[in-house]
Amino acid sequence: MMLYNLVVDGLETKVTLDEENLRFEANGTESTKSTSYPFDDIIGCEEIVTGWFWKTEITRVWVIEHGSSNLLLKKCRDVSGDKRKRFQHDLSDKIANETKRPKRVLVLINPIGGNGTAMVDFRNIVKPVFSLSGISMDIIVSEHHGHLSDVANTYDFTNTDGVVLFGGDGTCYQVVNVLMRKRQEEQGVDINDQNSSLSPLNIPISLIPTGSRNQWAASFTGNQDVLTAALHVVKGRTVSSHLLAIYSDDRLLSFACASITYGFLRDIVYYSDRFRWMGRMRYRFVSLWLLLIKSHTQHVYDATVTFYTPVTEQHNTENNETEIFVGGKKLSGYSSYTSDTVVFNRKVWELFILSGNLIFDSCVVQDFSRMFAPKLTTFSSIIIYATIPVGSVRRFFNNIQLMTPLDIRSNEMEVVNARGLSVEIPERFEDMQPSMKALMSVMLPDGEKCELKHPSFQIWYKYDVVQIFSSYL
C-alpha cells in the first residue's frame, strides 16, 4: 500500500493506493469524507497549469463515476502537493499493470450513419478519453459502401486488442459477418452446417452508438450514450455475446447481432432507403405511409413456423383441456407440437426475432436491461398475424418504445422463446407479382438486406461467439 498526503480539490487529503483501489480521504470540518475508485475506473492523469498570475502545476485525475440509467460519467479530481509527481507516476503504473484495458484498438468509423454525428463524436468525446487512458488508435473512416467490410477482411489484427465501431446495428452487422466468416475459415469450421459449433472471435468489439438503430450497443451498455460506450472500452471488461445464424438452401446466409425482421418492419426499411436524406425521421414517415395510405395488411404471407424449444403440458381442470407452455408462457394458435417443437400455420404480417429474452413473469417486455441478464440461452420471436388492426399496431410499437408490457391477444400475435426456428412459405417466388416478390425475397438482419433465393429459411442461436466490451452485464 502506498500513502500520500496531498491536496485534492482544495482539501487536505490522505491518498492511498492499494492493490485494487485509489482512495481519497479528505479531512472535512465535521467528518472525514472518503471516496474510492477501482483502477478500472481511473481513465488517466494529465499534468496541467492553473492560475492567471500565480501559475501552479497540478495533476488532474480523470475518473469514471456511475450515473442514473446505466450512464457512465467522466469526472476529474485536481491533485497538488509535494508528493504529486510521485503519486502521478505510481498511479499510472497501477493503471498499466492492474487493468485489462486494451493497449491498441482499430477504430472503424461510418461517418454517414444515423444523423451523421460519428466524426464529431469521435473527435470531441471518444478520442480524448482514449488518449487519456493510454489507448492508441488506428483510425479508418469509411469512404464508400463496403469499405469497412474490406478493412475487416484484410486488416492485420496481430497487435490489436479490440475493434471499436462507430455506427449502428448495420455497421456492426457488416464487420461482424466478415470477422466471423474469416474466423471459421481459419479454424476449419463448416459454416454451412447448421449444427456446427462456431469458433469464437479472438478479438473483442465495441459499438459506439452513432447509427440509426443502436440496439446492440444498448443491449450491452444499458443505454445509447456515446461516452458510456467509450468508457466501457476503457474499463477493459468483456462479456460474451450470442449471434443469430440464418440458413437457407443448406448454406449460411448471414449472422445477425441484434434482430431479424421478415414482414412489415422489413417493408419499412425497404422503402426507407429512398428517404435517407431525412435521417432517422424516415422510418416514422414510411411507417405512417404504409399504415395509413397503403393497406397495412396488403403484404401478408402464409407461413409454417416451427420453433425448436422445450414444450411442457399442463392440464386445465376448469375446462378439462391440455395447455402448452414455453418459457412459462401459455401458447395459443398453434397447429401442432411435440416435447421440443411447436408449429404455427398462419397468415403472418410480421416475424420479428430478437437476440434476447422478452418474457418476464409471463409478461412480454422489450427491456434491454433485463433481456440480456441473466445470461441468455434462447432468442425471442414475435409472430404478428395478418388479423392485427391498425389500433393494435400503434399500441404494439408504443409499448416497445416505452418498454412496457405488451398486451398479447391470441388473434393478433404470439411470442415464443426458442433456440432455433424454421420458416416455410408455400407460395413460390416465381408465382408472385414482381413487387411482392421483391419484398418477399428480402429479410433484414440488423436492418441490412439479405436476399433469399428460396421462400424458406432457418435461424439458430449461436452461443458465446463474440466478446463485447462491457462492464454492464
Side-chain angles (χ1 to χ4, degrees), residues 301-309 311 324 326 329-337 341-348 351 381-385 410 413-418 421-426:
Y301 54 96
D302 292 309
T304 297
V305 184
T306 302
F307 293 95
Y308 299 92
T309 182
V311 178
I324 70 168
V326 170
K329 182 181 180 296
K330 185 174 73 173
L331 297 186
S332 60
Y334 56 88
S335 301
S336 61
Y337 70 92
T341 63
V342 59
V343 180
F344 291 82
N345 288 298
R346 298 294 298 260
K347 280 190 175 295
V348 178
L351 180 59
S381 298
I382 303 176
I383 309 176
I384 304 178
Y385 301 134
S410 60
M413 67 184 73
E414 198 68 62
V415 178
V416 182
N417 285 349
L421 66 80
S422 174
V423 177
E424 298 288 338
I425 300 173

Side-chain angles (χ1 to χ4, degrees), residues 205 219-221 232-233 236-239 468-473:
I205 293 174
S219 298
F220 287 96
T221 64
H232 279 290
V233 179
R237 300 178 188 176
T238 61
V239 296
I468 310 297
F469 283 108
S470 174
S471 56
Y472 164 61
L473 299 178

Side-chain angles (χ1 to χ4, degrees), residues 453-472:
K453 295 183 178 180
H454 187 273
S456 65
F457 54 89
Q458 300 79 43
I459 299 172
W460 290 95
Y461 214 37
K462 299 296 183 178
Y463 306 123
D464 297 335
V465 289
V466 182
Q467 290 295 309
I468 310 297
F469 283 108
S470 174
S471 56
Y472 164 61

Side-chain angles (χ1 to χ4, degrees), residues 227-471:
L227 176 61
T228 295
L231 292 177
H232 279 290
V233 179
V234 172
K235 289 170 74 69
R237 300 178 188 176
T238 61
V239 296
S240 295
S241 170
H242 317 303
L243 292 179
L244 299 166
I246 308 167
Y247 300 88
S248 183
D249 287 337
D250 296 321
R251 68 183 183 93
L252 175 73
L253 293 185
S254 174
F255 295 105
C257 302
S259 64
I260 300 169
T261 181
Y262 190 71
F264 177 72
L265 293 176
R266 167 204 60 199
D267 297 352
I268 292 176
V269 176
Y270 182 86
Y271 289 114
S272 293
D273 279 349
R274 308 173 187 179
F275 304 99
R276 281 193 169 270
W277 55 270
M278 296 179 65
R280 293 173 180 165
M281 284 299 296
R282 67 185 183 272
Y283 299 111
R284 183 182 296 272
F285 169 76
V286 172
S287 63
L288 291 174
W289 171 65
L290 288 173
L291 287 171
L292 302 179
I293 307 302
K294 297 175 71 69
S295 171
H296 82 284
T297 57
Q298 179 180 351
H299 291 160
V300 300
Y301 54 96
D302 292 309
T304 297
V305 184
T306 302
F307 293 95
Y308 299 92
T309 182
V311 178
T312 57
E313 294 181 341
Q314 292 185 19
H315 182 70
N316 189 326
T317 57
E318 294 183 359
N319 56 22
N320 198 30
E321 292 181 354
T322 299
E323 299 173 338
I324 70 168
F325 292 78
V326 170
K329 182 181 180 296
K330 185 174 73 173
L331 297 186
S332 60
Y334 56 88
S335 301
S336 61
Y337 70 92
T338 66
S339 61
D340 57 5
T341 63
V342 59
V343 180
F344 291 82
N345 288 298
R346 298 294 298 260
K347 280 190 175 295
V348 178
W349 182 65
E350 168 65 44
L351 180 59
F352 186 31
I353 302 165
L354 292 163
S355 180
N357 184 10
L358 292 171
I359 300 176
F360 304 95
D361 299 327
S362 299
C363 293
V364 179
V365 184
Q366 188 177 339
D367 183 350
F368 295 123
S369 65
R370 290 190 285 174
M371 286 174 65
F372 280 74
K375 194 172 183 179
L376 295 176
T377 56
T378 59
F379 62 74
S380 295
S381 298
I382 303 176
I383 309 176
I384 304 178
Y385 301 134
T387 54
I388 188 170
V390 174
S392 295
V393 174
R394 179 184 177 187
R395 185 178 67 250
F396 171 76
F397 286 110
N398 187 57
N399 288 342
I400 286 181
Q401 182 178 6
L402 298 176
M403 294 188 297
T404 52
L406 300 179
D407 182 13
I408 304 298
R409 300 180 183 181
S410 60
N411 67 326
E412 294 180 356
M413 67 184 73
E414 198 68 62
V415 178
V416 182
N417 285 349
R419 61 184 177 86
L421 66 80
S422 174
V423 177
E424 298 288 338
I425 300 173
E427 188 174 1
R428 292 162 48 88
F429 279 176
E430 293 77 7
D431 299 332
M432 296 179 183
Q433 296 180 354
S435 60
M436 190 64 174
K437 180 180 177 181
L439 282 178
M440 295 295 288
S441 299
V442 173
M443 69 185 317
L444 292 180
D446 299 328
E448 297 295 305
K449 293 179 182 178
C450 178
E451 184 176 353
L452 294 171
K453 295 183 178 180
H454 187 273
S456 65
F457 54 89
Q458 300 79 43
I459 299 172
W460 290 95
Y461 214 37
K462 299 296 183 178
Y463 306 123
D464 297 335
V465 289
V466 182
Q467 290 295 309
I468 310 297
F469 283 108
S470 174
S471 56

Side-chain angles (χ1 to χ4, degrees), residues 129-146:
V129 167
F130 283 3
S131 297
L132 273 171
S133 64
I135 300 175
S136 64
M137 295 163 279
D138 188 1
I139 304 159
I140 298 177
V141 181
S142 176
E143 298 176 355
H144 54 79
H145 181 72

Side-chain angles (χ1 to χ4, degrees), residues 121-247:
D121 288 338
F122 172 69
R123 288 194 300 265
N124 296 343
I125 301 175
V126 179
K127 185 178 180 180
V129 167
F130 283 3
S131 297
L132 273 171
S133 64
I135 300 175
S136 64
M137 295 163 279
D138 188 1
I139 304 159
I140 298 177
V141 181
S142 176
E143 298 176 355
H144 54 79
H145 181 72
H147 184 192
L148 298 186
S149 297
D150 294 338
V151 171
N153 190 43
T154 58
Y155 190 82
D156 182 4
F157 290 95
T158 303
N159 297 314
T160 304
D161 303 315
V163 179
V164 178
L165 306 175
F166 280 74
D169 292 337
T171 301
C172 184
Y173 166 85
Q174 294 176 29
V175 174
V176 167
N177 265 274
V178 170
L179 294 178
M180 280 297 297
R181 289 177 179 272
K182 185 178 178 181
R183 178 66 173 171
Q184 306 322 302
E185 182 179 354
E186 292 172 349
Q187 299 299 310
V189 177
D190 182 3
I191 61 173
N192 295 316
D193 180 1
Q194 299 181 28
N195 298 314
S196 64
S197 296
L198 299 179
S199 180
L201 292 183
N202 56 350
I203 185 168
I205 293 174
S206 170
L207 179 61
I208 308 296
T210 59
S212 301
R213 296 168 303 279
N214 304 294
Q215 182 175 319
W216 211 43
S219 298
F220 287 96
T221 64
N223 56 56
Q224 297 187 24
D225 179 62
V226 169
L227 176 61
T228 295
L231 292 177
H232 279 290
V233 179
V234 172
K235 289 170 74 69
R237 300 178 188 176
T238 61
V239 296
S240 295
S241 170
H242 317 303
L243 292 179
L244 299 166
I246 308 167
Y247 300 88

